[in-house]
Amino acid sequence: RSMSLITCCYSLHIIFFPPQSHHASRTLLYKKTFVESFEETPLLVAVLTYMGYGILTIFGYLRDFLRDWKLEKCHLAREREEQKDFVPLYQDFENFYTRNLYMRIRDNWNRPIRSVPGAKMDLVERVTPDYNWTFEHTGKVLKDVINMGSYNYLGFAENTGTCADTASECTEKYGVGVCSTRQELGNIDKHEELEKLAARFLGVESSMVFGMGFATNSMNIPALMEKGCLILSDELNHASLVLGARLSGATIRVFKHNNMQSLEKLLRDAMVHGQPRTHRPWKKILILVEGIYSMEGSIVRLPEIIALKKKYKAYLYLDEAHSIGALGPRGRGVVDYFGLDPCDVDIMMGTFTKSFGAAGGYIGGKKELVDYLRLHSHSAVYATSMSPPITQQIITSMKCIMGEDGTTLGQERLCQLSENTTYFRRRLHEMGFIIYGNNDSPVVPLMLYMPAKIGAFGREMLKRNIGTVVVGFPATPIIESRARFCVSAAHTREMLDTCIRQKVKRKYKKYKTIIYLLF
């Protein structure tokens, strides 16, 4: 009878106080519409893509057979005969992929630039006499190539203007390098000025800057995590985050990209089961995410992650390498974009290599956290401190974004970047291209799928004076090759229209044979 009474009371509670659906509770966390698109690869395209890789693989084995019989020249360095029993430096498949697939389209990468990589740039022309194994410079220069590949989101990568002038003055006063670590003789007033400014910009108690963005992740995560700790990492996290997590010695578990159900399941299991074998509670649980994922163009679901972090008493490490300066009404990253409190993020990390047109990275958070890193971070103790002119470049550009330079240039660039992003994505979508990511992300992946299109797209766009980044396996899934465009505030509407028109011509260009399509 008591159980029946409890069941009856619970039923009445459901009737009068119906629980919110999961979707409704998620919607309450967002103050604006959050739209992302990841269209599934069409079946026919997937089949043709696999066929293309299959044919390339068959021809690759045939060419390896000819190389073994000395019928075709092998350009790769080979081990000596007396070293044939040594452990190989690379796996067989890596060598095979490099020889027979990557070399076919290698001319699309590592192109030498001889100008400032702004909205337009100059490229050094090069030719290859041996099918991309080696390159020779012709002495010619490709002028005014529209740059759609640099992370120059706010257009501060320039050699004229206030940033360039102040950096030049700083070079004359301090020199180009400090030649020492921060803990020895490498701490100058510019470093402390930048750290105080960055803390104000981020809205945190304290911050610390580092000379290298990659090392900011790979060297600081091991200082914060150790054996007995748990790291929950998004499956699409950057290599620097992955390396830092591995170097820490902590247990790593991966959740599906931006999937809150997957993350919550891992958090729940961690709370219930604890550490393997001993089942003791974890010392710390750290969630690793990025603000903008540079290969997908997606934005992290930060409000939901913060809600889960608070619910399960975990810590949050946010990498804002691509979002700081590029998102939010004040350019202060994904936290500003969602209108959240910076104190809800335990460790705020970012780089100065994108929106600020400089180099290095930062860690922001509570003063106790930053003071701890000053003593225990390998990147702080052993690495040379940031170059003075680079420090000045960051200070000037950050003050410009904050409006502390006495102008509205920073706000104008933020508005221009947002308008360019919206316009570029909308036009591509209207023309039927499959693009990934969030509507507000300045990183725009355009899907190519087939291996032949990776090389063909990059070459054809360069012929039309447009520099793009094309990406394929293993940087992406094998059937999701893409071209990645990075929109900048420095791009004019005419530049974007030129780029879009050339893509339309490229889209409808007829292939001469079906073999060329498959390869």
Short mmCIF file of all heavy atoms in Angstrom, two decimals, residues 45 223 225 233 279 307 357 380 419 446 489 510:
data_model
loop_
_atom_site.label_atom_id
_atom_site.label_comp_id
_atom_site.label_asym_id
_atom_site.label_seq_id
_atom_site.Cartn_x
_atom_site.Cartn_y
_atom_site.Cartn_z
N VAL A 45 28.81 9.49 -53.69
CA VAL A 45 30.10 10.17 -53.54
C VAL A 45 31.04 9.33 -52.70
O VAL A 45 32.24 9.22 -53.00
CB VAL A 45 29.89 11.57 -52.91
CG1 VAL A 45 31.23 12.22 -52.62
CG2 VAL A 45 29.07 12.45 -53.83
N ALA A 223 51.64 20.02 -16.37
CA ALA A 223 51.86 20.66 -15.07
C ALA A 223 50.61 20.65 -14.22
O ALA A 223 50.69 20.78 -12.99
CB ALA A 223 52.33 22.10 -15.28
N MET A 225 47.95 18.17 -14.64
CA MET A 225 47.39 16.82 -14.50
C MET A 225 48.51 15.81 -14.29
O MET A 225 49.65 16.02 -14.72
CB MET A 225 46.57 16.46 -15.73
CG MET A 225 45.47 17.45 -16.06
SD MET A 225 44.21 17.59 -14.79
CE MET A 225 43.30 16.06 -15.08
N SER A 233 38.49 14.33 -23.37
CA SER A 233 38.92 15.13 -24.51
C SER A 233 37.97 14.95 -25.69
O SER A 233 37.57 13.83 -26.02
CB SER A 233 40.34 14.72 -24.92
OG SER A 233 40.78 15.41 -26.07
N HIS A 279 39.13 1.59 -8.00
CA HIS A 279 37.84 2.27 -7.88
C HIS A 279 37.88 3.44 -6.89
O HIS A 279 36.86 3.85 -6.35
CB HIS A 279 36.74 1.29 -7.46
CG HIS A 279 36.53 0.18 -8.46
ND1 HIS A 279 36.02 0.41 -9.72
CD2 HIS A 279 36.82 -1.14 -8.39
CE1 HIS A 279 35.97 -0.74 -10.38
NE2 HIS A 279 36.46 -1.69 -9.60
N ALA A 307 27.42 23.65 -17.82
CA ALA A 307 26.38 23.06 -16.98
C ALA A 307 26.78 21.66 -16.50
O ALA A 307 26.59 21.32 -15.32
CB ALA A 307 25.07 23.01 -17.75
N GLY A 357 47.87 38.61 -35.06
CA GLY A 357 48.95 38.74 -36.04
C GLY A 357 50.33 38.63 -35.44
O GLY A 357 51.25 39.30 -35.89
N ALA A 380 57.44 27.75 -18.98
CA ALA A 380 57.82 28.98 -18.29
C ALA A 380 59.23 28.90 -17.72
O ALA A 380 59.97 29.89 -17.72
CB ALA A 380 56.82 29.26 -17.16
N GLU A 419 30.38 40.26 -40.82
CA GLU A 419 29.65 40.44 -42.07
C GLU A 419 30.24 39.57 -43.18
O GLU A 419 29.50 38.94 -43.95
CB GLU A 419 29.68 41.91 -42.49
CG GLU A 419 28.87 42.82 -41.57
CD GLU A 419 29.01 44.29 -41.96
OE1 GLU A 419 29.67 44.56 -43.00
OE2 GLU A 419 28.50 45.15 -41.22
N LEU A 446 34.82 23.55 -47.12
CA LEU A 446 34.02 23.22 -48.30
C LEU A 446 34.38 21.81 -48.73
O LEU A 446 35.54 21.52 -49.02
CB LEU A 446 34.28 24.23 -49.42
CG LEU A 446 33.43 24.11 -50.68
CD1 LEU A 446 33.22 25.49 -51.31
CD2 LEU A 446 34.09 23.21 -51.73
N ALA A 489 38.74 39.98 -41.77
CA ALA A 489 38.18 41.33 -41.85
C ALA A 489 38.86 42.15 -42.93
O ALA A 489 38.32 43.15 -43.41
CB ALA A 489 38.32 42.03 -40.50
N LYS A 510 34.02 20.55 -66.74
CA LYS A 510 33.89 19.16 -67.16
C LYS A 510 35.24 18.47 -67.12
O LYS A 510 36.23 19.02 -67.58
CB LYS A 510 33.32 19.08 -68.58
CG LYS A 510 31.95 19.69 -68.74
CD LYS A 510 30.89 18.95 -67.96
CE LYS A 510 29.51 19.51 -68.20
NZ LYS A 510 28.47 18.81 -67.46
#
